[in-house]
C-alpha cells in the first residue's frame, strides 16, 4: 500500500459582496415561491479555490495565489447581473487555467456561506 497521496492541492478562501438576480424566478411558475430572486439582491459570496501542486514545498504559494485571485475582482461590490454560482466559477476558472495551465482546479462559490456550487476541472 502506497503512502503517497493520489492528489496534492492547496486552497484559498475569501469573500466578496455582490449583487445578482435570477431572472427566470420572476416568470417561471415552478419558481413562484422564490420569485423574489428575480430582482437584484445582495449576497456575501464565499469562495474556496483549490489548485493542484506538484510537491510539498508549494510550487504555488497560497498567499500569493489568493492575492492574485482577489485582485481579479477589483474593489467594491461585485455587479454579477444574472450570474449563478456556477457561472462565477466558470469565469474564474478561465482566468486560473490561463495562468496555471494543466492543473486540477476546484472552485466552490456559495451565497452567504449557505448554498452554492462546487465545480472541478481535472488536469
Amino acid at each position: 500500500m502506497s503512502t503517497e497521496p493520489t492528489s496534492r492541492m492547496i486552497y484559498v478562501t475569501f469573500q466578496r459582496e455582490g449583487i445578482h438576480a435570477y431572472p427566470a424566478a420572476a416568470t417561471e411558475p415552478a419558481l413562484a415561491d422564490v420569485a423574489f430572486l428575480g430582482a437584484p439582491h445582495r449576497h456575501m459570496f464565499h469562495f474556496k479555490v483549490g489548485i493542484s501542486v506538484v510537491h510539498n514545498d508549494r510550487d504555488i504559494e497560497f498567499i500569493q495565489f489568493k492575492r492574485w485571485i482577489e485582485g481579479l475582482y477589483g474593489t467594491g461590490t461585485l455587479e454579477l447581473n444574472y450570474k449563478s454560482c456556477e457561472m462565477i466559477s466558470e469565469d474564474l476558472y478561465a482566468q486560473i487555467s490561463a495562468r496555471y495551465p494543466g492543473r486540477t482546479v476546484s472552485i466552490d462559490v456559495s451565497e452567504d456561506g449557505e448554498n452554492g456550487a462546487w465545480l472541478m476541472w481535472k488536469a
Side-chain angles (χ1 to χ4, degrees):
M1 177 182 234
S2 175
T3 60
E4 277 297 306
T6 57
S7 64
R8 191 178 312 266
M9 296 182 75
I10 62 162
Y11 70 89
V12 299
T13 64
F14 61 98
Q15 299 175 34
R16 290 298 308 275
E17 179 180 35
I19 297 175
H20 75 160
Y22 180 24
T27 59
E28 294 290 327
L31 298 171
D33 63 321
V34 291
F36 60 89
L37 297 175
H41 54 279
R42 176 202 180 271
H43 290 289
M44 282 304 295
F45 287 90
H46 294 241
F47 293 76
K48 182 173 183 177
V49 181
I51 188 167
S52 60
V53 294
V54 296
H55 54 73
N56 286 344
D57 201 16
R58 286 195 211 112
D59 55 320
I60 299 174
E61 205 299 312
F62 49 67
I63 294 171
Q64 292 174 326
F65 185 59
K66 177 178 179 168
R67 288 176 179 164
W68 173 71
I69 291 173
E70 287 180 315
L72 296 174
Y73 292 102
T75 60
T77 301
L78 301 177
E79 295 293 338
L80 300 165
N81 300 319
Y82 61 87
K83 291 191 177 183
S84 65
C85 293
E86 294 89 341
M87 293 173 191
I88 296 166
S89 294
E90 288 177 342
D91 289 348
L92 180 53
Y93 173 72
Q95 296 289 317
I96 294 170
S97 65
R99 183 168 177 149
Y100 299 99
R103 302 216 184 215
T104 296
V105 175
S106 67
I107 302 175
D108 179 327
V109 177
S110 70
E111 298 173 345
D112 308 312
E114 184 177 35
N115 304 306
W118 176 59
L119 283 68
M120 179 176 259
W121 293 262
K122 301 267 184 176

